[in-house]
Amino acid sequence: LPEYAFPRLRSLLDAHAPGGEVVHMTIGEPRHASPAFVSRIIAETADDFGRYPPNEGTPELRGAFTDWLNRRYGIDVDPETQVMALNGTREGLFNAAIALCPEKVRGQTPVILMPNPFYQVYAVAAATVGAEPVFVPATAETGFLPDYASLPADILTRTAIVYICSPANPQGA
Ligand SMILES: Cc1ncc(COP(=O)(O)O)c(C=O)c1O
C-alpha cells in the first residue's frame, strides 16, 4: 500500500517554517468536547469493552439507524439486510469495494472512479481489489463536482464502482 496521506502531508509541510499565523489544515480532529452523555455512557458500559461486539451490531442499533433514515430522508431500509454497524465510514467504504468489485469488466481490468481531490480510502480500496483508480477532476469549471463527461468511453465501459461524497471533502460541493 502507498504511504498514508497524513504522514506524507506532514513530511511536505514540516520542511517549511510557517510564514505567519498557523492555519491548521491537518487530520481534522474534533475541536469540541464530546457531549457529556457520551462520556457517561462509555464509563457506565466500560466493562463490556472486554468483549467483541456482534459483527452486524445489535438489532436495537440497526433499528435506530433505519428509524433515523426514515425520519431524515423518508426512506424505508431493512434493518436486517441493508445496514451495517461500522467503526467509522472508512471501514464501509473499503469493504464496499471488496464486496462489489468484479475481477473483470468485459474481460478487462475494472475501473473505480473517484473525485479528485478525494479521500484516500477510495484509492486504497481500488489498489486492494486490483482495480484501476481513475481520478475524476472536480475543479472550478464544473462547480467542484466530478466531471464525468470528461472521461473517455473506454474508461466508462470498464467502470465498476463510483465513489461520490456529498458534500464533498475537502471542497464542500
Ligand atoms: C470524505 C471522507 N470520507 C470518510 C472519512 C472517514 O471517516 P470515519 O471517521 O467515519 O471513518 C473521512 C474522514 O475524514 C472523510 O473525510
Side-chain angles (χ1 to χ4, degrees):
L1 294 176
E3 196 191 5
Y4 193 59
F6 292 108
R8 217 166 65 225
L9 182 61
R10 268 197 295 275
S11 70
L12 289 170
L13 295 181
D14 285 354
H16 305 282
E21 207 171 310
V22 175
V23 178
H24 290 284
M25 299 181 75
T26 53
I27 200 163
E29 286 170 335
R31 290 279 170 251
H32 306 285
S34 296
F37 76 90
V38 174
S39 316
R40 178 173 51 77
I41 291 173
I42 288 175
E44 282 170 9
T45 55
D47 284 348
D48 283 343
F49 279 71
R51 288 201 306 268
Y52 285 133
N55 280 346
E56 63 280 8
T58 61
E60 292 79 11
L61 180 62
R62 292 199 310 273
F65 294 164
T66 54
D67 288 351
W68 182 84
L69 286 168
N70 184 276
R71 283 196 308 276
R72 177 72 173 77
Y73 295 108
I75 54 170
D76 287 316
V77 171
D78 178 7
E80 287 299 312
T81 59
Q82 292 184 293
V83 293
M84 290 177 77
L86 300 168
N87 195 9
T89 58
R90 184 182 351 204
E91 182 184 349
L93 291 163
F94 183 79
N95 289 350
I98 293 177
L100 299 175
C101 194
E103 285 180 27
K104 297 279 175 198
V105 174
R106 295 165 215 268
Q108 294 176 288
T109 302
V111 160
I112 299 186
L113 303 181
M114 54 203 75
N116 189 16
F118 67 100
Y119 186 64
Q120 79 279 346
V121 77
Y122 314 152
V124 171
T128 305
V129 298
E132 181 185 333
V134 170
F135 306 102
V136 185
T139 63
E141 282 93 82
T142 51
F144 300 102
L145 296 173
D147 184 11
Y148 299 112
S150 70
L151 297 173
D154 159 62
I155 295 292
L156 293 174
T157 53
R158 289 194 290 127
T159 295
I161 291 177
V162 179
Y163 280 109
I164 53 175
C165 180
S166 173
N169 184 15
Q171 73 274 35

